[in-house]
Amino acid sequence: MRIDNLQYCNWSQTVFEQMHQGGLTGVHVTVAYHETFRETVANLEQWNRWFERFPELIFPGRTAADLKTAEATGRTAIFFGAQNPSPMEDDIGLVEILHQLGLRFMQLTYNNQSLLATGCYEEDDTGLTRMGRQVVTEMNRVGLVVDMSHSADRSTIEVADHSSRPIAITHANPGWWHAARRNKSDAVLDAVLGPKGDHGGMLGFSLYPHHLKGGTDCSRADFCEMIARTADKYGAHCLGIGSDLCQDQPDSIVEWMRVGRWTKEIDYGEGSASAPGFPPQPDWFRDNRDFPGLAEGLAAAGFDAGEVAGLMGGNWARFYETSFGPVDG
Amino acid sequence: MRIDNLQYCNWSQTVFEQMHQGGLTGVHVTVAYHETFRETVANLEQWNRWFERFPELIFPGRTAADLKTAEATGRTAIFFGAQNPSPMEDDIGLVEILHQLGLRFMQLTYNNQSLLATGCYEEDDTGLTRMGRQVVTEMNRVGLVVDMSHSADRSTIEVADHSSRPIAITHANPGWWHAARRNKSDAVLDAVLGPKGDHGGMLGFSLYPHHLKGGTDCSRADFCEMIARTADKYGAHCLGIGSDLCQDQPDSIVEWMRVGRWTKEIDYGEGSASAPGFPPQPDWFRDNRDFPGLAEGLAAAGFDAGEVAGLMGGNWARFYETSFGPVDG
């Protein structure tokens, strides 16, 4: 069972074949950064065409049971997520509609203030908004997971408190390891995972170079050592991978992620004017074929076989089981 | 097993309770007349709220198996349909998206020419368009039933030929009984049902007064006698009910149905300047509580118990079993 809980590749037969070669059971893929509802639906239409074209490699994932189907048939189940609430526009009724169309994760913010909460690039964090509280309750009802990867601290802590169900940070690393704007404070990790990892929430470790100590030059051993130290505090059971792999994407895509339609000026986000594009991946994690190596690194960092299996996918699978539908369904 | 394969009521707790009182297992409800995709989604959001509010009365129907659930739990399964292809706009990818959102029937036209085919109020019928052929093939693939109730003759006959799966006329009566524009010629019924009822297609008899001989004054015995004569030719197995019940709707709704946004002038459709509103229902079919009486009328017209059960719902149930998903699924 291998799950990568965040990717946004330039999808192709090659990428899907590499998922198969890397033994990926499930992948959570981003279907919207700044898209409206209708634009998100157009992205889902494109996914339907890929499902139709490559049925021997991928199929739509909706429930944890689809992971079993993926294992049994040697394919990869694709789970949808949005990195921004833009697909639901200003309409709480779209929460359930998006869930019916397969959305299983939704970030409440992408860097900026949204209608729901504050993003991690704003100067002031005013926490969960009035609409944000209503939407989190609705997401709890239908089984759409709240993802706070790109949100600010206060907003994240308030959501962890308000949400009746565990939430997730699908792709980030601890800030004590590498103090990037997108990495997470101890207070945020305590709120999401629980001070002893007892809140039911999940953290997916990111392999996006801006989130890594040393960036592109970060070693696999350093990365796995960081995971081991995180597990010392929270336990390994609430940790997984959310690689943030953006394989084969042109630099115009990272500009779209950062700039969307919210500014006429360039915003470099985690990059800079001198390095505006996607940073190169570490040489030990370039594509889905590198997942077996990651498992080796985790074993070398001291995790036992059960813990490695959990970190590589079992923990996300357990989270999926209780998160993707109504509580009583 | 009782199925009404077309209603567009002003939905309310009262109507849902009457479905229960009338023993309705399944109802195919219209969710769009002229609505765009986004407007149709807003209508589906409203249905989600009704499902949330009245779970003891109604739930979303997606497959024929939901009819069993409805029987087992004493509720009514609600199946969605569109009377116009407007919800798919000019985008063939929306066929599958709409199916994922629960759409199970879609008319290719509503009275006028559409992107796909010709409606029954146009002077010239040019048949299935280039896009129409592509869309019917896609509807066949995903399991979205082609409904030609409001289409013109040539278009209907061409679709019956082009479609790889049986199609339906969900709500109309034979033109030989009452020569209304919306009722169907022998040639159309032969094409959809097969000259001996052997094409797998279905006809749902309408109880909308403009489709009845004598209108509001049509007797139950006359209506059931017409069904018996239709069964003489095609057999009872391919016949059912599609009442077109528009209970509690204000007259502004029939104007929306006829006029939409396609004309600045009033079009009276089946009505007239002197009688522009909804016609009164016959006194023996005013709401869902009148279904048991209809069954009595069919028995009185000479149908045996098995035939009555089929006409009241079993025939639609069998059609649902083979129509609502991929052929191999």
Side-chain angles (χ1 to χ4, degrees), chain B residues 67-327:
Chain B
L67 296 168
K68 303 286 183 195
T69 302
E71 282 191 318
T73 59
R75 296 179 295 161
T76 305
I78 303 292
F79 295 85
F80 297 145
Q83 294 213 24
N84 203 333
S86 61
M88 64 161 291
E89 300 174 350
D90 64 351
D91 181 356
I92 196 168
L94 287 179
V95 170
E96 186 165 13
I97 294 289
L98 287 162
H99 188 270
Q100 289 171 331
L101 288 172
L103 206 74
R104 292 296 177 267
F105 291 89
M106 186 173 82
Q107 290 187 181
L108 298 197
T109 70
Y110 185 80
N111 297 349
N112 288 1
Q113 178 69 39
S114 75
L115 296 178
L116 311 180
T118 304
C120 61
Y121 275 74
E122 296 286 359
E123 285 183 21
D124 289 326
D125 178 2
T126 52
L128 199 54
T129 65
R130 299 175 75 219
M131 184 178 182
R133 283 192 289 276
Q134 296 295 326
V135 168
V136 168
T137 298
E138 179 71 353
M139 292 172 75
N140 289 162
R141 183 180 74 84
V142 302
L144 177 55
V145 177
V146 175
D147 180 359
M148 296 302 276
S149 297
H150 283 253
S151 298
D153 283 22
R154 178 181 157 191
S155 288
T156 306
I157 292 165
E158 286 187 12
V159 173
D161 180 57
H162 177 77
S163 177
S164 64
R165 304 177 74 171
I167 69 172
I169 293 169
T170 61
H171 58 305
N173 296 320
W176 59 256
W177 181 59
H178 176 55
R181 180 91 71 131
R182 275 271 286 99
N183 284 338
K184 300 304 177 189
S185 69
D186 288 349
V188 161
L189 294 176
D190 283 1
V192 173
L193 306 178
K196 294 176 187 292
D198 53 354
H199 282 188
M202 283 285 293
L203 169 66
F205 292 103
S206 167
L207 287 141
Y208 190 63
H210 289 309
H211 306 157
L212 300 176
K213 185 163 82 174
T216 299
D217 297 328
C218 177
S219 72
R220 193 178 78 182
D222 265 4
F223 180 75
C224 294
E225 175 69 18
M226 174 273 292
I227 296 178
R229 295 295 72 75
T230 309
D232 286 343
K233 177 166 183 188
Y234 299 107
H237 65 281
C238 57
L239 308 176
I241 302 296
S243 73
D244 211 359
L245 183 67
C246 294
Q247 185 184 345
D248 297 339
Q249 292 285 20
D251 287 342
S252 58
I253 290 296
V254 77
E255 187 176 314
W256 163 250
M257 292 175 183
R258 292 164 177 166
V259 170
R261 287 175 290 236
W262 66 269
T263 172
K264 292 158 65 181
E265 296 173 14
I266 293 291
D267 182 88
Y268 293 108
E270 297 174 291
S272 62
S274 60
F278 278 111
Q281 285 293 123
D283 59 10
W284 50 272
F285 192 82
R286 294 186 185 281
D287 62 49
N288 282 286
R289 292 170 298 183
D290 290 321
F291 276 92
L294 195 55
E296 290 168 20
L298 291 168
F303 289 107
D304 66 29
E307 289 169 330
V308 172
L311 290 164
M312 293 301 295
N315 298 337
W316 278 121
R318 204 172 49 246
F319 183 81
Y320 285 17
E321 277 172 18
T322 55
S323 298
F324 285 174
V327 170

Side-chain angles (χ1 to χ4, degrees), chain A residues 292-305:
Chain A
L294 195 54
E296 290 167 20
L298 291 168
F303 288 106
D304 67 30

Side-chain angles (χ1 to χ4, degrees), chain A residues 258-326:
Chain A
R258 292 166 178 167
V259 170
R261 287 176 289 236
W262 66 269
T263 172
K264 291 158 65 181
E265 297 173 14
I266 292 291
D267 181 89
Y268 292 108
E270 298 174 292
S272 62
S274 61
F278 279 109
Q281 285 293 123
D283 58 10
W284 49 273
F285 192 82
R286 293 186 185 282
D287 62 48
N288 282 286
R289 293 170 298 183
D290 291 320
F291 275 92
L294 195 54
E296 290 167 20
L298 291 168
F303 288 106
D304 67 30
E307 289 169 330
V308 171
L311 290 163
M312 293 300 296
N315 298 337
W316 278 121
R318 205 172 48 245
F319 183 81
Y320 285 17
E321 277 172 19
T322 55
S323 299
F324 285 174

Side-chain angles (χ1 to χ4, degrees), chain B residues 30-95:
Chain B
T30 293
V31 297
Y33 281 94
H34 302 282
E35 285 88 338
T36 63
F37 175 70
R38 183 64 183 86
E39 291 168 338
T40 302
V41 167
N43 294 342
L44 301 183
E45 293 175 37
Q46 180 60 63
W47 271 108
N48 281 336
R49 270 175 233 137
W50 284 318
F51 292 135
E52 193 182 350
R53 192 166 158 205
F54 305 112
E56 73 291 355
L57 293 171
I58 56 170
F59 69 98
R62 296 288 188 262
T63 68
D66 291 318
L67 296 168
K68 303 286 183 195
T69 302
E71 282 191 318
T73 59
R75 296 179 295 161
T76 305
I78 303 292
F79 295 85
F80 297 145
Q83 294 213 24
N84 203 333
S86 61
M88 64 161 291
E89 300 174 350
D90 64 351
D91 181 356
I92 196 168
L94 287 179
V95 170

